Amino acid sequence: MKNVTVGEFIAESQNNFPGSTGELSKILSSIKLASKIVSHQINKAGLAKEILGSSGRENVQGEDQQKLDVFANDSFINALSARGVICGVASEENDSFVEFNSTVNNDAKYVVLIDPLDGSSNIDVNVSVGSIFSVYKRITDKGSNVDIKDFLQPGNRQVASGYIIYGSSTMLVYTTGKGVNGFTFDPSIGVFFLSHPDMKTPNDGTIYSVNEGNLNYFKKPVADYIKYCQSSNKDQMKTAYSSRYIGSLVADFHRNLIKGGIYLYPSTGTNPNGKLRLTYECAPLAFLIEQAGGRAISENQRIMDIVPTELHQRVPFFVGSKNMIDHLEENLESESRSI
Ligand code: AHM
Ligand code: MG
């Protein structure tokens, strides 16, 4: 098979969009560059002690910022601003969106939302982490100042989304709404090659991923579904599902995408809206899973249809294989009918 690089793939895909100006291609290429820089730094983490651990600062959500959170945030924002193809970026690590002020950036038609380093508390123990991104067309006019409403769009308006997983190898997985493709990084030559063309997730799976330490706080339909995952039934030829939870969203999502499974972050006692953020964690992964044939819902709605009201808004998040989400959704709906 011909070795296709991500650069070649992006250029070829652009031809499928007549009249394309190449701006989206440049955004993807900036993300590719930043991910190489971040990947390189993460791979050194055990050796270079000065990049491990806390930065001593907290983000707007009161979470401890790791030094690598700050490094990854700067790397993505710098790479994205340098090419003049977006007018602003919103990030998990910044209280508000960042506006790029140059004339060329003001004239750009896209905004990007990122979680620059998801699961960063796992870095100190050498466990996979990831970056997540989402691209929208701005609502405000080109040439004007970018506004919060450009960032608070429902996921169904995404132009592209994807993630980078820094695992046993580094991979970039993304969609522009025409299927999902995965690229694996060859560090010896610094290039991503197409390794997983047209990714599809199985309709059924036997993996459930959830922080079971919170089980006592889950609402009944979710707790019942987890009991179902754990149960076996000879007559229905069902054996118990396997529990797999890394605690790194991108890594849990990536495994389930390939093998089939369900990931759940429901509301809990301490987090009534769950923990995960709608705009730069849930919506981009929802776009990807739908493009791969799966589903993503909150307690009573498709994730892609939720209109965000705040940048760092949290939502209960359930994502994965179609039939598994259908089953959970039946539980949720029958509970709400009985109230
Ligand atoms: P982060 O964005 O601050 O890194 O937090 C998000 C992470 C996800 O990667 C992961 O799925 C989740 O938090 C784990 O939460 P918990 O430790 O409550 O299970
Ligand atoms: Mg995160």
Side-chain angles (χ1 to χ4, degrees):
M1 187 174 110
K2 182 175 168 266
N3 282 336
V4 178
T5 69
V6 69
E8 288 167 340
F9 187 88
I10 292 170
E12 254 170 54
S13 312
Q14 196 186 311
N15 298 333
N16 297 331
F17 293 90
S20 160
T21 55
E23 286 164 275
L24 181 60
S25 300
K26 284 188 191 157
I27 293 173
L28 293 170
S29 152
S30 311
I31 287 168
K32 177 185 79 176
L33 171 66
S35 70
K36 287 184 195 177
I37 296 169
V38 173
S39 177
H40 179 69
Q41 202 70 353
I42 287 172
N43 286 339
K44 292 195 304 192
L47 296 170
K49 299 284 179 235
E50 67 280 2
I51 57 170
L52 279 184
S54 167
S55 69
R57 300 205 306 255
E58 282 187 352
N59 66 17
V60 66
Q61 295 148 89
E63 297 161 340
D64 187 28
Q65 275 182 326
Q66 304 290 303
K67 286 179 198 154
L68 272 168
D69 280 324
V70 178
F71 178 85
N73 195 38
D74 292 347
S75 302
F76 277 97
I77 293 181
N78 290 342
L80 285 162
S81 71
R83 297 199 184 177
V85 282
I86 62 169
C87 48
V89 63
S91 162
E92 178 177 325
E93 302 306 331
N94 295 106
D95 303 4
S96 188
F97 63 87
V98 178
E99 178 171 11
F100 298 151
N101 275 325
S102 72
T103 317
V104 53
N105 279 310
N106 264 344
D107 274 342
K109 63 172 179 271
Y110 292 110
V111 294
V112 172
L113 294 98
I114 49 169
D115 181 351
L117 203 54
D118 185 70
S120 52
S121 58
N122 278 320
I123 290 176
D124 290 5
V125 290
N126 207 349
V127 169
S128 300
V129 289
S131 304
I132 310 174
F133 64 90
S134 170
V135 183
Y136 290 85
K137 275 199 181 129
R138 67 189 296 177
I139 293 174
T140 47
D141 291 335
K142 276 166 76 169
S144 66
N145 289 343
V146 69
D147 188 85
I148 184 68
K149 66 179 175 215
D150 294 316
F151 298 93
L152 298 182
Q153 302 189 52
N156 57 31
R157 296 223 190 118
Q158 286 172 102
V159 174
S161 80
Y163 61 82
I164 297 101
I165 177 167
Y166 311 98
S168 43
S169 55
T170 294
M171 274 189 76
L172 166 65
V173 177
Y174 80 89
T175 183
T176 54
K178 292 192 184 308
V180 178
N181 290 283
F183 302 82
T184 302
F185 187 56
D186 180 343
S188 62
I189 49 174
V191 174
F192 282 97
F193 286 107
L194 178 62
S195 52
H196 295 62
D198 197 18
M199 296 172 85
K200 292 286 173 221
T201 197
N203 278 337
D204 268 308
T206 54
I207 295 174
Y208 71 104
S209 310
V210 62
N211 185 340
E212 282 177 271
N214 294 325
L215 188 60
N216 289 342
Y217 301 101
F218 294 161
K219 291 182 182 163
K220 190 169 179 305
V222 176
D224 285 350
Y225 180 75
I226 290 167
K227 267 186 222 135
Y228 168 80
C229 292
Q230 294 164 339
S231 67
S232 47
N233 184 322
K234 245 190 182 163
D235 298 337
Q236 292 169 12
M237 309 251 290
K238 177 185 179 295
T239 50
Y241 294 164
S242 294
S243 167
R244 297 280 182 272
Y245 190 69
I246 297 169
S248 232
L249 175 62
V250 171
D252 281 309
F253 178 89
H254 183 71
R255 180 202 52 243
N256 291 2
L257 169 68
I258 291 175
K259 295 194 166 185
I262 185 169
Y263 176 96
L264 310 95
Y265 211 112
S267 54
T268 67
T270 43
N271 288 317
N273 292 317
K275 181 179 177 191
L276 299 175
R277 271 60 51 118
L278 172 61
T279 56
Y280 44 78
E281 292 179 323
C282 306
L285 297 185
F287 190 21
L288 281 165
I289 202 76
E290 289 194 2
Q291 285 292 314
R295 295 190 64 203
I297 59 170
S298 196
E299 276 172 359
N300 52 16
Q301 210 176 352
R302 178 180 171 231
I303 289 286
M304 294 273 276
D305 290 337
I306 303 176
V307 182
T309 51
E310 286 169 39
L311 210 46
H312 301 287
Q313 178 178 346
R314 298 171 197 265
V315 285
F317 185 49
F318 310 108
V319 62
S321 292
K322 182 183 172 304
N323 294 342
M324 299 176 92
I325 297 285
D326 285 353
H327 184 155
L328 171 70
E329 190 176 48
E330 275 164 31
N331 281 14
L332 290 162
E333 284 173 356
S334 66
E335 171 80 4
S336 63
R337 274 196 299 272
S338 69
I339 294 172

